[in-house]
Amino acid sequence: AMRARRFWKAGRRLRRFYCRRKEGSGLEGSISGRQAGAGGFCAASVPAVLTCAGLGWGWVLLGCAIAAGYYVLTQELANGAVYLPELTVCAFGNAAGRVVLAIGGVFTLLAAAQTARRAGIAFPDGTAWLAGGVIVLLGTLAGEKGAKQAAKVCGVLFLVLAGLYTIILLAAAKNVQLRWMAPWGGARQTLEVVPSLLALTCLRFLPGRTQRVKRGWLGLLAICPAVLAAVAVGCLSPRLTQQLTFPFYTVSQSLSVLGVMERLEPVVSAALLLGFFALESLLLEAGREQIVWAAPNLAEKRWARAALGVAVFGLSFVTDGIPAEAWALGAAVCWGIAPLLTQLIVAIK
């Protein structure tokens, strides 16, 4: 019990150290559970469109349910505590906790680099090379304004994305063939879904988190990707869906709204780019927060955020060489097992 109290006090001292150097930066404002849920919805729209829409909807639904169940479990284990860096120091101690956070921060920044690399998918017909640099720049600038301000922006983006995807799905509904919507695929597809959605664990590394994400947002997480997958396969057929790199974009090429817009590809590209911005901002801020906790001296370096942005952009040119299995393993360890183990240890203590 004495050791647990010492670890907890050490974490509080480290947190106060960080907050003193961020005084006046806007990071001290709290992020509500609703804002975190909206930000998570925007960030999750990227794997929902790029990964889930090309898989069997039944296995997507199972994977999303597993991810949502994981978040419910970890929120209950935390017993109201939300901010993971402080819990990590409490669980593993000051030195070991910093090592865990450093490893998690490095992987999160690598994931941000890979996200920047994949952002070009939003523009299959051209200008793809610009997308990565743009979202890294926007994510870095959003971080300069503070996590609280970025969360407010994601609250607005949620309304925009919800509206855009609703329009696309309603326009696609008339082309759906029910015979193509029979369950297909295999259990391996679930393993593709879960790691990509574990990125939402990064919401709990953001400074200013004080409230849980309500279960209604987790319900959206469980259902919406499966709906996208069902509509995509209903419009294209399972055989064609498996052959395409970006099935949802192909679906949009044959859609129209009231005869006014003959093609909806620009709408899909815009929605996906907004989702990439939300995901990149989340990964950059969460990765930076973990690195700062691991190396508190960086908190007072004004150039640190810009340097991390440049590093992420540079790494985006080499992340294609990392196999998908390594990304899945890293996500499972850094965003799944480590946070769960952290909270189990704190709960036992």
Side-chain angles (χ1 to χ4, degrees):
M2 290 295 293
R3 180 178 294 181
R5 282 196 293 271
R6 285 198 300 270
F7 287 160
W8 184 258
K9 289 179 181 178
R12 293 189 65 181
R13 285 195 300 269
L14 190 57
R15 177 61 182 163
R16 286 197 298 269
F17 171 86
Y18 173 69
C19 290
R20 282 197 300 270
R21 282 153 180 76
K22 285 302 176 183
E23 197 172 48
S25 68
L27 290 182
E28 63 271 19
S30 63
I31 299 174
S32 69
R34 180 177 298 177
Q35 289 172 333
F41 177 92
C42 296
S45 68
V46 174
V49 172
L50 294 184
T51 301
C52 300
L55 304 174
W57 64 267
W59 299 108
V60 170
L61 182 61
L62 176 60
C64 292
I66 292 173
Y70 169 82
Y71 293 125
V72 171
L73 173 63
T74 52
Q75 287 192 150
E76 292 300 324
L77 279 175
N79 194 27
V82 176
Y83 190 56
L84 272 176
E86 197 166 38
L87 292 176
T88 303
V89 172
C90 175
F92 299 103
N94 200 3
R98 290 189 186 187
V99 172
V100 172
L101 289 170
I103 294 172
V106 169
F107 175 77
T108 302
L109 292 176
L110 280 174
Q114 176 68 352
T115 299
R117 184 66 174 176
R118 298 183 69 197
I121 298 176
F123 302 96
D125 297 331
T127 67
W129 61 277
L130 283 172
V134 168
I135 68 163
V136 171
L137 177 61
L138 292 177
T140 302
L141 292 176
E144 287 287 349
K145 297 296 183 180
K148 174 66 175 177
Q149 296 302 320
K152 289 182 178 180
V153 171
C154 286
V156 177
L157 288 185
F158 163 73
L159 298 176
V160 175
L161 288 177
L164 291 178
Y165 282 119
T166 298
I167 292 172
I168 296 168
L169 291 175
L170 290 177
K174 62 183 179 182
N175 297 333
V176 169
Q177 301 289 327
L178 293 179
R179 58 191 175 89
W180 287 340
M181 295 181 67
W184 66 282
R188 183 181 177 84
Q189 293 182 343
T190 299
L191 300 180
E192 297 181 46
V193 175
V194 177
S196 63
L197 294 179
L198 285 177
L200 298 188
T201 299
C202 292
L203 288 167
R204 296 189 58 188
F205 288 105
L206 298 181
R209 282 298 309 279
T210 57
Q211 299 178 16
R212 302 182 185 186
V213 175
K214 294 185 178 180
R215 295 188 180 184
W217 291 105
L218 298 178
L220 286 177
L221 172 65
I223 295 173
C224 290
V227 172
L228 293 177
V231 170
V233 75
C235 292
L236 299 175
S237 80
R239 181 179 179 181
L240 181 57
T241 299
Q242 294 178 76
Q243 297 173 354
L244 296 172
T245 303
F246 191 176
F248 201 75
Y249 189 84
T250 304
V251 169
S252 69
Q253 291 179 321
S254 59
L255 302 181
S256 63
V257 179
L258 301 177
V260 177
M261 295 179 63
E262 295 183 359
R263 305 179 74 178
L264 290 182
E265 300 101 303
V267 177
V268 175
S269 294
L272 193 55
L273 186 63
L274 292 175
F276 267 116
F277 162 70
L279 179 58
E280 186 74 6
S281 300
L282 171 62
L283 294 175
L284 284 173
E285 189 62 27
R288 180 186 177 279
E289 185 74 0
Q290 293 174 81
I291 294 296
V292 165
W293 270 78
N297 289 336
L298 288 177
E300 57 190 7
K301 307 296 184 183
R302 300 189 62 180
W303 48 262
R305 192 187 302 274
L308 287 177
V310 172
V312 166
F313 181 68
L315 288 170
S316 67
F317 295 98
V318 300
T319 52
D320 282 344
I322 302 177
E325 293 78 8
W327 287 115
L329 178 61
V333 173
C334 296
W335 297 337
I337 296 174
L340 180 61
L341 183 61
T342 294
Q343 292 172 101
L344 285 173
I345 294 174
V346 172
I348 293 172
K349 284 183 176 181

